[in-house]
Amino acid sequence: MGMIVRKALEEDTLQLQRLLSKAGVIEQVYDEEPTEFIVAENENAELVATAGLAGIGKKDVILRSLVIDSEKVGAVFLLEFLETATAFAEKRGYKSLYLLTSGQQAFLEQVGFSLLQSDEVPKRVRESNHYKQNVKRSPKVMHTRLAVNK
């Protein structure tokens, strides 16, 4: 399967929004927090997965809108895509990656995320727009440290 993972381009916006809305993600693709989207494209040039990386400060990044098209790719691919997204954040020089979830804990723990208790969630995460908009739906915050190879 020839899957390409790359940074989203402006011409992907429509497909990107379709993918997000199909998954029930209603947040604006480009809102006030600068978010870099990465996408996975299959051999038919269809977008089958996306993830947004919203930087908060120099060292921390929130992974948001992680969506795969489950009709076209399986759960194993989600694992690979998550690892790619993490590597992408690492390359950008981020040290900590956070994400909000309502349930996928066990799955995320397999790839190195740990659950933060509510009093452990850093202030800058709590103050981000993404957190404020999504905490009711996805109340759990998970965190992973990115390898510092610089």
Side-chain angles (χ1 to χ4, degrees), residues 9 11 30 52 88 99:
L9 307 167
E11 52 267 31
Y30 299 108
F88 193 85
L99 59 79

XYZ file of all heavy atoms in Angstrom, residues 9 11 30 52 88 99:
52
model
N -1.495 20.879 2.560
C -1.349 22.072 1.735
C -2.686 22.795 1.669
O -3.719 22.242 2.027
C -0.913 21.685 0.320
C 0.333 20.805 0.235
C 0.493 20.235 -1.159
C 1.560 21.603 0.642
N -4.491 23.412 -0.810
C -5.481 22.750 -1.667
C -6.093 21.503 -1.028
O -7.014 20.904 -1.577
C -4.898 22.410 -3.046
C -3.591 21.649 -3.034
C -2.382 22.589 -3.113
O -2.470 23.727 -2.608
O -1.360 22.184 -3.686
N -8.689 25.955 10.681
C -7.642 26.934 10.980
C -8.219 27.961 11.942
O -8.833 28.921 11.521
C -7.171 27.614 9.678
C -6.593 26.607 8.729
C -7.258 26.231 7.579
C -5.367 25.998 9.016
C -6.718 25.277 6.718
C -4.830 25.039 8.165
C -5.498 24.692 7.019
O -4.964 23.748 6.177
N -3.612 17.430 13.599
C -3.175 18.812 13.717
C -2.200 18.948 14.863
O -2.384 18.333 15.914
N 7.056 13.948 13.599
C 6.935 15.244 12.938
C 7.078 16.365 13.978
O 7.787 17.350 13.764
C 5.565 15.315 12.249
C 5.403 16.449 11.286
C 5.843 16.319 9.972
C 4.785 17.630 11.665
C 5.685 17.355 9.066
C 4.625 18.672 10.761
C 5.077 18.538 9.461
N -2.368 15.400 24.271
C -3.597 15.253 23.513
C -4.761 15.045 24.459
O -4.590 14.602 25.593
C -3.505 14.133 22.471
C -3.214 12.697 22.864
C -4.447 12.006 23.404
C -2.736 11.928 21.644
